[in-house]
Amino acid sequence: MRYLPKSPEDRKAMIAEIGVSSIDDLFSQIPGEYRLRRDLRIPRAMAESEIVDFFRQRASENAAGYALFLGAGAYHHYRPVIIDSLISRGEFFTAYTPYQPEISQGTLQVIFEFQSMICELTGMEVANASMYDGSTGATEAAMMAMRLTGRDAVVVASSVHPEYREVLSTYAKYQGVAIATTKFGDDGRVDLAALDEAVTTETACVLVQSPNFFGVIEDVAAIADIAHKKGALLVVSIAEGVSLGVVKAPVEADIVSLEAQSFGVPLSFGGPYCGVIATREKFVRQIPGRLVGETKDKKGRRGYVLALSTREQHIRREKATSNICTNQALLATVATVFLSTYGREGLKELAQQNLAKAAYAASVMGVKTQGAAESKNGAGAGKARVLFSGSPRFNEFVVQTSEDPHHINHRLLEKKIVGGFPLQKFYPELGNAALWCCTELNTKEQIDAAAREVNP
Amino acid sequence: MRYLPKSPEDRKAMIAEIGVSSIDDLFSQIPGEYRLRRDLRIPRAMAESEIVDFFRQRASENAAGYALFLGAGAYHHYRPVIIDSLISRGEFFTAYTPYQPEISQGTLQVIFEFQSMICELTGMEVANASMYDGSTGATEAAMMAMRLTGRDAVVVASSVHPEYREVLSTYAKYQGVAIATTKFGDDGRVDLAALDEAVTTETACVLVQSPNFFGVIEDVAAIADIAHKKGALLVVSIAEGVSLGVVKAPVEADIVSLEAQSFGVPLSFGGPYCGVIATREKFVRQIPGRLVGETKDKKGRRGYVLALSTREQHIRREKATSNICTNQALLATVATVFLSTYGREGLKELAQQNLAKAAYAASVMGVKTQGAAESKNGAGAGKARVLFSGSPRFNEFVVQTSEDPHHINHRLLEKKIVGGFPLQKFYPELGNAALWCCTELNTKEQIDAAAREVNP
Amino acid sequence: MSERENPAASDQIRKVRPHPSQNEGLIFERSSPGKAAYMLPPLDVPAVDPSAALGNSARTEDARLPEVSEFEIIRHFTRLSTWNYAIDLGMYPLGSCTMKYNARVNEVVARLDGLANAHPYQPQEVSQGALRILQTLSEQLIEITGMDAITLQPAAGAQGELTGILLMRSYLEAQGNPRKKILVPDSAHGTNPATAVTCGYAVENLKSNSSGMVDIEALTRQMNEDVAGLMLTNPNTLGVFESDIHKIAAIIHEKGGLVYMDGANMNALVGKARPGDFGIDVMHMNLHKTFSTPHGGGGPGSGPVACKKILEPFLPVPVIVTQADGSLAFDYDRPQAIGRVRMYYGNFGMHVRALAYIQANGPDGLRQTTEDAVLNANYIRKKLEDVYELPFKAPSMHEVVFSHRLQAPRGVKTGDIAKRLMDYGFHPYTTAFPAIVADHGAIMIEPTESEPKEEIDLFIAAMRSIAQEAQDNPEIILTAPHTTRVLRMDETTANRKPVLRYAHQAKVPAE
Amino acid sequence: MSERENPAASDQIRKVRPHPSQNEGLIFERSSPGKAAYMLPPLDVPAVDPSAALGNSARTEDARLPEVSEFEIIRHFTRLSTWNYAIDLGMYPLGSCTMKYNARVNEVVARLDGLANAHPYQPQEVSQGALRILQTLSEQLIEITGMDAITLQPAAGAQGELTGILLMRSYLEAQGNPRKKILVPDSAHGTNPATAVTCGYAVENLKSNSSGMVDIEALTRQMNEDVAGLMLTNPNTLGVFESDIHKIAAIIHEKGGLVYMDGANMNALVGKARPGDFGIDVMHMNLHKTFSTPHGGGGPGSGPVACKKILEPFLPVPVIVTQADGSLAFDYDRPQAIGRVRMYYGNFGMHVRALAYIQANGPDGLRQTTEDAVLNANYIRKKLEDVYELPFKAPSMHEVVFSHRLQAPRGVKTGDIAKRLMDYGFHPYTTAFPAIVADHGAIMIEPTESEPKEEIDLFIAAMRSIAQEAQDNPEIILTAPHTTRVLRMDETTANRKPVLRYAHQAKVPAE
Ligand SMILES: Cc1ncc(COP(=O)(O)O)c(C=O)c1O
Ligand SMILES: Cc1ncc(COP(=O)(O)O)c(C=O)c1O
C-alpha cells in the first residue's frame, strides 16, 4: 500500500524484535470468533488517477459552473486563492490541536488573530476558537445562556434558520429545555409585541438571527430591550458574516453566534463550516470550546497558549461547558486569511457590492410589497412580488410568484442557473415564495437572465 | 495595488527620509524626453476573480479533457498529485539559485538527488542540474563534444526530433559548425551504412535520438562503434524519459541529453520543460550548466554546494562552457519527486504499460509494414499501415493512411480526440503518415474509438 | 538550568538541528491605512448607499480589520506556519489522536469545482454526484464496522457520541422508558461523560479492574433498569482490546440496555474485527483519525455514527434513499428521527477525503494499515518497557500507555518528558489521560501505521535517552524544552488574567 | 571563533530565532525493496513482454531509483524545503535578480486543465486560448518596452540575449556584413560576453568611466564598422540609468551598429520609460524577474526578446498571426528567420504567469511598482551610505551597489558580510558582480517593491550592526554564519574531488 512506509523486511525485523511469530499474534486479544477472516467487501485499491477520475465524474454530476442564487445559510463568495495556498501548508493542515505551545505557536497565533477579528466584527469582547458551525454554535450559545442565567427556557424567532432551530430542538429535547417559537411580522422581522409576550422571567435567552432567514435585518436593539427587561440574555445568530461589512454589529447582544463560512470557506455541499461564539468578557468562563490567550514564555517573550481549559471536557468531564473537542481550526485559519485579505476597507466594499447586487436583483425580479399577507391570494398572473421590501435587508430577499418556484427553478436549471430556495417546506404560509441570494459573484447578466425566467 | 506592501504614509516617510521632494525626483537620471508621461496602453488592473475568469475562458478554448494521442517530444503522463503539493511550498518555488549553501540546502540536496537519478537512468556517471529543455540540451551536448574533441562538424540523424535539429542549426550557424544530416532506413532506424559514410575524422560527434522521432529505438551500440571508430563522440538525445524503464540505457554514449518532461512536468503547451545533460566523469569539466556536489561544512556535517562553477558564465564570462544561467531547477524538483514516486519498480511498470498500450493501438490501427517504401504508392483504399513495425519501439508509432491525416484528425476532434501528429511537414517522403503516441493515460476505449476513425 | 552549556547539542539528538526561524508580529501590527490585499471587479449594477438602504441598521464603526498587502499575508502566515510541528515534519505520537498521513489526493479531490462549490440546497437533480459520494461512503463504513445503518451528519467524534446516545435514548423512550444513567469507565475520554450529560443522562462511573479493563463484576453490579447503557472505548484508551466484550454486551443487553462504542480507536480494528460482530449497538468513527482526514490544527473533523437495525428509525434527518428511477434523494420524512444534530448533511468535505482514503487502500490496504499500526505500537512497547513502567500489562493494540513511575522519584513527570521530547525533535505523546494511570502520569503513545521503522527507532532512542537523563540530569528535563523558539509558557497568568484578543494601538484610529 | 558565547543571541538580531529543523538523509537512504509510492490502474490491453518486444534494446539492469512510500516522499521534501530561505520567508535582496512576490493567482491559472495539459502540437483550432494568451502578452510587452515586435520563445535571459544578438547578426548579414565584434561593458553580467561568443562574435571589453557608466569617448573610439553593436544593461548593473543613452545609441547607429539592451533591470523602468523610446534596437526581458514568475530555486525563466521593425523579419519561427477569420495561427513561413532557439513556443507556463501579473497591476500598478522599487533602493542607500562605501555616486534606480572598502581593512569582505547577514535572518545581497567595483568587493542590493518599510528597516539595522561588528569584532563576521543548520562549506574539496551523485551502498543490491 503506497501510503505505508514499511518494506517486508522492516516488518519481519520488527516482528522478530517483538518476539512474536506473526503479526496475527498481536491481535490475539481479540476473541477468535470476532476476528474478520475475510476481506472487507469494498472495492479493490484504486490508483490515484482512478480516484481522481471517480471524483471528477461525481463532480460533473453536480451543478458545477452554474450561476448560483442560493443562500439560506450557505453563501457563495469569491475565495481569494491565497487561502488555499496557505492552508495547504502541511504545517497548518497536518498539525493537531495546539496543546503543546512551544511547537504550536503558528496555529495559536492564527487563532488569537481569528478571535480578535471576530470581536472586531461582532462588537463583542471575547470570541472562542470556533464551533462546528452556525447551527450548533447558536445552540451552544443558548445553552451557555441557560448556564449563565440558571434558567431553562428559550424563546426563538421563527425567522431563525429552520435547520438551526431543528438542531436547537434536538439538543434541548432531552435537557428539559422549553423552547417557544415567536413569529415574524408582515415586515419579515421579529414581531416585537409577540416576543414581548413570549419572554418571561423563566426565559434564559432570546435567540434571533440577523440578517434573518429572509435576509431581513432585525431590530436588535429593540429585541435586546425586551429580553433584558425580563432578565433574559439576547443571543444573536449571524449566518452571513459578510453582512457585518455594512450592518451594525449586534452590540446589544450578550452572546453572538457567527457562522464564518462566508469568510472564504467553500460551500462544499454544506460542510465543514466554521461557527464561532463571541460574548462579553464577564461571561467568558461559560463560553464553550477552546480559547487562545496571550502570555509570555519564561524568557519574557510573547506567545500564545490554550487558555481557561478548565471549562473543557478533557479537564472537567461531565461538568464541562460543552462536549466539543475537535473544532474547526483550519477553517478559522481560512477566515483569518480571508479577513486579512479584505481588511477594514475591503469587507465594507464587499458588503456594499452584495447589497447592490441584491437590491438590483430584487428590483428586476419583482414589485415591492411590504408583507406576506398578499401571498394568500397570490394566484394572479401579475409580476412576482418581493416580500418584506420595506425592511432593511442585506443580500437575500424573498420573491413570491404565482408559479411554484420549483417549476421556475426547473426552467432555470436548463439555463445553467440555480434559482432561489423554495420556502414552502419551511414556511408554507408564504405560498409560492423563494429565497434568493445575490453576492458579488452574481453578474448583472446572470441576474437579468434569472429575472426573465421568474417573470417569463 | 494589492501586491505592494506600502501605505501612502510609508511612502511619504521614505521620500522625506531620502530627502527628495517627490518620487519623480528619483527618476531624474532618465532624460525628460524619454520619460513616459502617460499610462501604458494596457487594460486597467483586474481583480483576481477577473484574472481567473480570463484564463478559465482561454483554457476552455483549448482542447481540455480531450483524449490525446500526441507525443512527438511532449508526453502526456499521469502526474502524481504530490508533485504540485510539494513544489507549491514557497520554500521551493520562491527561492533563488542556491548560491548561498547555508540557507539553500533544500534545493541543493534535491538537485543532487536529481543528478543521481539521471545517472541511474542514463547509465552515465555525472549529470548536471538541468538545461532549458531537450532541444537546447542536445545542442549544448553537441557543442560540448566539439570542445572535447576540438573538432567542428556534427553528424545528426534525420530521425532526431526536427525541432531539435532546427535549434542545433540556429546555434551552429554562426559558429562555423558544419552539420551533416544522415538518413533513416526502411526500418525507421539510422541507416548505419550512410552514417558510416558521413562520419569523418573531422566529426566532433554523432547526434541521434532514441527512441527516435518515430518512436523507434536506435541501435546505440552500433552507432557508437561507428562514431568512436573515427574518434567522434556519440551524443544520444532522449525525448521520452519514461522509455528508460524498459529500454536499455545508452551506456555506449559519451554524452546523453535527456528531456525530463515525461517525469511529471505538465505539457503546458510546450514549456517550461526540463533538459539535462549526463556524461562520463572524465568529461565533467566541459559540461555546461550548474552542478551540485557533496561536501562537508566546517563541523564535518554533510552538505551540498554548487560545484565546478569556474565552468560557468558568471565566473568565466566569454570563456564559459555555455551562456546558460537560469535553468529549470523547479522542474528538476518535479522530476525528482516523480521518480521517487515511481521508483525502481514503478518506472518499469509504467514503461511496460506504455509499451503495451502502444502495441495494442498499433495492432488495432494498422497492418504491420517494415518500411517507408510503401508510402510512395499509398493511395490504395486498404487498411492503414504501421510503418517500421519490425523495429523495436516504445510508445510511439507511425501510421500511414490513404487519407490525409489532417482529415482524420478533424473527424477525431469532433469525438473529443486529438489524433496523431501529421508528418507531412517534416517528412513529406512518408506521405500520409502520422505519429501516434499512447501512454498509460490512453484507455483501450479511447484507442478503439480512435482506431475506428483511422479506418472508418 | 543545568550546567551543560547547550542541551540542544546533545550527542543523543540526531533528529533535529537548530536553524533560524523568522519572527513575526500579529497581523494587526502590520496594518496601515491605505494598504489593501483585495480588489473587487467594478460593480455592474447601481451602487446602493448603505445608510440609505439600512437606516439605523447601517454600520457606522468599522471593524478594525488589518489593512495589509497580499504579499504580507503570504509572509505572515508562511512564517507562522514554520513555528508549528506537523505530521508532515515528523512523528506525532499523540495517543488516541491517530496522527497519520493525510494523503494529498484527498485534498485535491475535495477541492474539485463541482464538489467544493456545491451548495447544500441545490436541487437534487444536480446533486447526484454529491449524493453518490455520501452513499458510497456510508455503505463502505457500514461494511467496515459490521453495522446496519449510518448517519454521516455529526461534525466530530463528540457530536457522534451525542448522536449515538440520543439514538439510544430515543429507542429506549420508544420502548417506554429512556432511563436515567449511562455507565462510563473511568478510563474514558472526557467527551464521553460530557456527552452523556448533554443528552440528559447522569453519568455513573465504572471503575476499571486492575488490568485497566472493564470490571465484569462491577459492571454486573452497576447494570440495572435505570441504566440506558454503556459507553465503551474498544480498544480502550490503554490500547487494550476488551476481550470480554461479548460478556460485557450480554450483561448490558440482558438488562435492556445498549452498548455505545467510542470508535476513536478504530485504527486498531479496521479489516481485522468489526464492532457490529462483537455486540456493539451503536458507535461513532472519527474520520479525522482512522480515515486520515487532516486535523488542521484542531479541526474540522467528522464523526459518522453507525448503528444496528433497531436504532435505524431514529437516525437524524435527512437520510439518503435510492428512488425508483435509480437516482438518489434525501428523505426527511422520518417520524421517529431524533431530529438534526447540525444543519445540512455533515462535513461533506471530510466525507470526500475519507472515501478517497478507503479507495486508495482497498481491503488489503486497510488490513495492512491496521496491522502496521499495531506492529509499531508493540515494537515501541517492547523497546521501552525496560525503562518506562507499564502500569497495565495486557497486550497492546495500536497504542501503548506507560507511566512516569520510574522517573517520578527524580521529580520528572510525564509532562516534563513530553517537553524534553521536543528538544529531540518529536511532538510529545498524550499526557492528559487516561486518568486511571496512577498519579495521572500517563505516557500514551500511538505511532500509527504512518511511521517508518527508522523514525520509530529515533523515537525509541530519544525516549531512552530521556530516561537516562532522568537519572543523570533531571534538571535538563524539568527545564525543557531548550531549543524551541519560545520556552515554557506562563499559563498561570494566561488563565488568571486572560488576554484573548488584540488590543488596538493608537496606530489604527478608533472611530 | 569569537569569544562571545552565542552569536545567535545578539541583541541586534531581531528578525529570527533558532528553532529545531528536522534532519533528513538522501531519498536513496530511505529506500528499501518492496516499498512503493505508486500504483497503476490495471492494464486494460494485453501486456507486452519487454524483452520479446525490444530484443537487445530491452533494459536488463534496473535504474536504482529509490523505493519509498508516498508519505516518506512528502516528509522528505517537506523537511528539505525547510532548509531553504525563500522570498516567502523574508527579504531576498539579491541585486540583479529582482526577487519579488510571486503571486499565487499566477500559479493557479498556470495549472488550469486546459492550459497545463495543452499539447504543443494539438491542432490550432483547439489551441485558440493558448494562442490568445501568447498574443495578448506579446502586445502588452511591446507596449511596455516601446518596441515593435517580439518573440516569446527564449527560455531565459541568456537565451534572450542569444536570440537578440542573432537578430542583429542576421540583420547585418542581410545588409551584407555580419561584422566581427560586440562591445560589452566591463560592468556587464557574465551571460553577455558568453552569449556574444556563442553567436560567433569576439567580445570587446568597454571600460566604464569613473562613474561606472559607459565612457562616451572610449565608446566613440572603439565603435567602428567591425563592430556589430553594443550590449548594454540599462539601468546598468550599478543600478544607474545611462543618461547618455541617446548619445550612446547615436554613436552605435552612426556606424551602422545596433544597440542590444539586457533588460534584466526593467523593474526600474516599467511604466516610467521605454527602451524603444530611448534608442534601443533589441532587448530581452526576464519574466522571472520583472514580471514576477517564480525563480523556483534556479529556474525556469523566460526571456522574451522585443525589437524594432527592422529586426522583425528575423524573429525565430513561429510567430503568431491573425487570420482572415479572426482566429490565430502560427506562421512558420518566414524565410529570413534566424530559425528556432528552442522547440515549440517557449516557456508558455511562464507566459501565463507574466500576463496574470500584468493584468493584476494594470498601468497604475505597474508604475507604482516601479516607483516603489526605486524608492526602496534609494531609502536603503540613504540609510547605509555613511557606513558602507558607495563606489559610484550617480543616482540609484532600483538597486544600490556599495563596496566593502570600509570593512576590508579589518579583513571583512563582501562575502563575509553576506554570510553574517544570514545570522540576522536575511538572504544576502549579490556579491559576485559587478566586477568593476574595486577589489570585486561589490555589495549589490536590490530590495524590489515587494518589501515593506518594516522589513527594510530591519535590513538596514542588520547591515549597520554588521558594520559595527566589523569594527568591534570582525571575527564574528569572518566565521559566520553561526546559526544555520550547516556552516560554511568546504568548497575546495567539492571542486577538487567532485562528488556529484549518490554512491549506492550494499543495501540496494546492485545487479
Ligand atoms: C477516545 C476519544 N473519544 C472521543 C474523542 C472526541 O472526538 P472529537 O475530537 O472528534 O470530538 C477523542 C478525541 O480526541 C478521543 O480520543
Ligand atoms: C544583468 C543580467 N543579465 C542577464 C542575466 C541572465 O538571465 P537568465 O538567468 O534569465 O538567463 C541576468 C540574470 O541573473 C542578469 O542579472
Side-chain angles (χ1 to χ4, degrees), chain A residues 174, chain C residues 165-166 168-170 172 177-182 193 195-203 226-228:
Chain A
Y174 304 103
Chain C
I165 300 299
L166 291 185
M168 288 167 52
R169 184 169 185 130
S170 299
L172 292 170
N177 177 9
R179 307 192 176 190
K180 299 203 169 65
K181 293 187 286 188
I182 295 276
T195 298
V197 166
T198 308
C199 297
Y201 283 114
V203 171
D226 263 2
V227 174

Coordinates of all heavy atoms in Angstrom, one line a residue, chain A residues 174, chain C residues 165-166 168-170 172 177-182 193 195-203 226-228:
Chain A
Y174 N -33.8 16.7 25.4 CA -33.5 15.8 26.5 C -32.9 16.5 27.7 O -32.5 15.9 28.6 CB -32.6 14.7 26.0 CG -33.2 14.0 24.8 CD1 -32.8 14.2 23.5 CD2 -34.3 13.1 25.0 CE1 -33.3 13.6 22.4 CE2 -34.9 12.5 23.9 CZ -34.4 12.7 22.6 OH -35.0 12.1 21.6
Chain C
I165 N -25.8 8.5 21.6 CA -26.6 8.4 22.8 C -28.0 8.8 22.7 O -28.9 8.2 23.2 CB -25.9 9.2 23.9 CG1 -24.4 8.7 24.1 CG2 -26.6 9.2 25.2 CD1 -24.3 7.3 24.6
L166 N -28.2 9.8 21.8 CA -29.6 10.2 21.5 C -30.4 9.1 20.8 O -31.6 8.9 21.0 CB -29.7 11.5 20.7 CG -29.3 12.8 21.4 CD1 -29.5 14.0 20.6 CD2 -30.0 12.9 22.8
M168 N -29.9 6.0 21.3 CA -30.2 5.0 22.3 C -31.4 5.5 23.1 O -32.3 4.8 23.4 CB -29.0 4.9 23.3 CG -27.9 4.0 22.7 SD -26.3 4.1 23.6 CE -26.7 3.7 25.2
R169 N -31.3 6.8 23.5 CA -32.4 7.4 24.3 C -33.7 7.3 23.6 O -34.7 7.0 24.2 CB -32.0 8.8 24.6 CG -33.0 9.5 25.6 CD -32.6 10.8 26.1 NE -33.6 11.1 27.1 CZ -33.4 11.5 28.3 NH1 -32.2 11.7 28.8 NH2 -34.4 11.7 29.1
S170 N -33.7 7.7 22.3 CA -35.0 7.6 21.6 C -35.5 6.2 21.5 O -36.7 6.0 21.6 CB -34.8 8.2 20.2 OG -34.3 9.5 20.2
L172 N -35.0 3.8 23.6 CA -35.5 3.4 24.9 C -36.8 4.1 25.2 O -37.7 3.5 25.8 CB -34.5 3.6 26.0 CG -33.2 2.8 25.9 CD1 -32.1 3.3 26.9 CD2 -33.5 1.3 26.2
N177 N -39.3 3.9 28.3 CA -38.5 4.5 29.4 C -37.1 4.8 28.9 O -36.3 3.9 28.6 CB -38.5 3.5 30.5 CG -37.6 4.0 31.7 OD1 -37.2 5.1 31.7 ND2 -37.4 3.1 32.7
P178 N -36.8 6.1 28.9 CA -35.4 6.4 28.4 C -34.4 6.1 29.4 O -33.2 6.1 29.1 CB -35.6 8.0 28.3 CG -36.6 8.4 29.2 CD -37.6 7.2 29.3
R179 N -34.8 5.8 30.7 CA -33.8 5.5 31.8 C -33.0 6.7 32.2 O -33.1 7.8 31.6 CB -32.9 4.3 31.4 CG -33.7 3.1 30.9 CD -32.9 1.9 30.8 NE -33.7 0.7 30.5 CZ -33.3 -0.5 30.5 NH1 -32.0 -0.8 30.9 NH2 -34.1 -1.5 30.2
K180 N -32.1 6.6 33.2 CA -31.6 7.7 33.8 C -30.0 7.9 33.7 O -29.5 9.0 33.8 CB -31.9 7.7 35.3 CG -33.4 7.7 35.6 CD -33.6 8.3 37.0 CE -35.1 8.6 37.3 NZ -36.0 7.3 37.2
K181 N -29.4 6.8 33.6 CA -27.9 6.8 33.7 C -27.2 6.2 32.5 O -27.7 5.3 31.8 CB -27.5 6.1 35.0 CG -28.0 6.7 36.2 CD -27.4 6.1 37.5 CE -28.1 4.7 37.7 NZ -27.7 4.1 39.0
I182 N -26.0 6.6 32.4 CA -25.1 6.0 31.4 C -23.8 5.6 32.2 O -23.3 6.4 33.0 CB -24.7 7.0 30.3 CG1 -25.9 7.4 29.4 CG2 -23.5 6.4 29.5 CD1 -26.2 6.4 28.3
P193 N -18.3 11.4 29.2 CA -19.2 11.9 30.3 C -19.8 13.2 29.9 O -21.0 13.4 30.2 CB -18.2 12.0 31.5 CG -16.8 12.0 31.0 CD -16.9 11.2 29.7
T195 N -20.7 14.2 27.1 CA -21.8 13.9 26.1 C -23.0 13.4 26.9 O -24.2 13.8 26.6 CB -21.4 12.9 25.1 OG1 -20.3 13.5 24.3 CG2 -22.5 12.5 24.2
A196 N -22.8 12.4 27.7 CA -23.9 11.7 28.4 C -24.7 12.8 29.1 O -26.0 12.7 29.0 CB -23.3 10.7 29.4
V197 N -24.1 13.7 29.7 CA -24.8 14.8 30.4 C -25.6 15.7 29.5 O -26.8 16.0 29.7 CB -23.8 15.7 31.2 CG1 -24.5 16.9 31.7 CG2 -23.3 14.8 32.4
T198 N -25.0 16.0 28.3 CA -25.7 16.8 27.3 C -26.9 16.1 26.8 O -27.9 16.7 26.4 CB -24.7 17.1 26.1 OG1 -23.5 17.6 26.6 CG2 -25.3 18.0 25.1
C199 N -27.0 14.8 26.9 CA -28.1 14.0 26.5 C -29.1 13.8 27.6 O -30.1 13.0 27.5 CB -27.7 12.7 25.9 SG -26.7 12.8 24.5
G200 N -28.9 14.4 28.7 CA -29.8 14.4 29.8 C -29.6 13.2 30.7 O -30.5 12.8 31.5
Y201 N -28.5 12.5 30.6 CA -28.2 11.4 31.5 C -27.3 11.7 32.6 O -26.4 12.6 32.5 CB -27.6 10.2 30.7 CG -28.6 9.5 29.8 CD1 -28.5 9.5 28.4 CD2 -29.6 8.7 30.4 CE1 -29.4 8.8 27.6 CE2 -30.5 8.0 29.6 CZ -30.4 8.1 28.2 OH -31.3 7.4 27.5
A202 N -27.5 11.0 33.7 CA -26.5 11.1 34.8 C -25.3 10.1 34.4 O -25.6 9.1 33.8 CB -27.1 10.7 36.1
V203 N -24.1 10.5 34.7 CA -23.0 9.7 34.4 C -22.7 8.8 35.6 O -22.5 9.3 36.7 CB -21.8 10.5 34.1 CG1 -20.5 9.7 33.9 CG2 -22.0 11.3 32.8
D226 N -32.3 1.1 35.4 CA -32.1 2.6 35.4 C -31.0 3.0 34.4 O -30.9 4.2 34.1 CB -31.7 3.1 36.8 CG -32.9 3.6 37.5 OD1 -34.0 3.5 37.0 OD2 -32.7 4.1 38.7
V227 N -30.3 2.0 34.0 CA -29.1 2.3 33.1 C -29.5 2.2 31.7 O -29.9 1.1 31.2 CB -27.9 1.4 33.5 CG1 -26.8 1.7 32.6 CG2 -27.5 1.7 35.0
A228 N -29.3 3.3 30.9 CA -29.6 3.2 29.5 C -28.5 2.4 28.7 O -28.8 1.7 27.8 CB -29.6 4.6 28.9

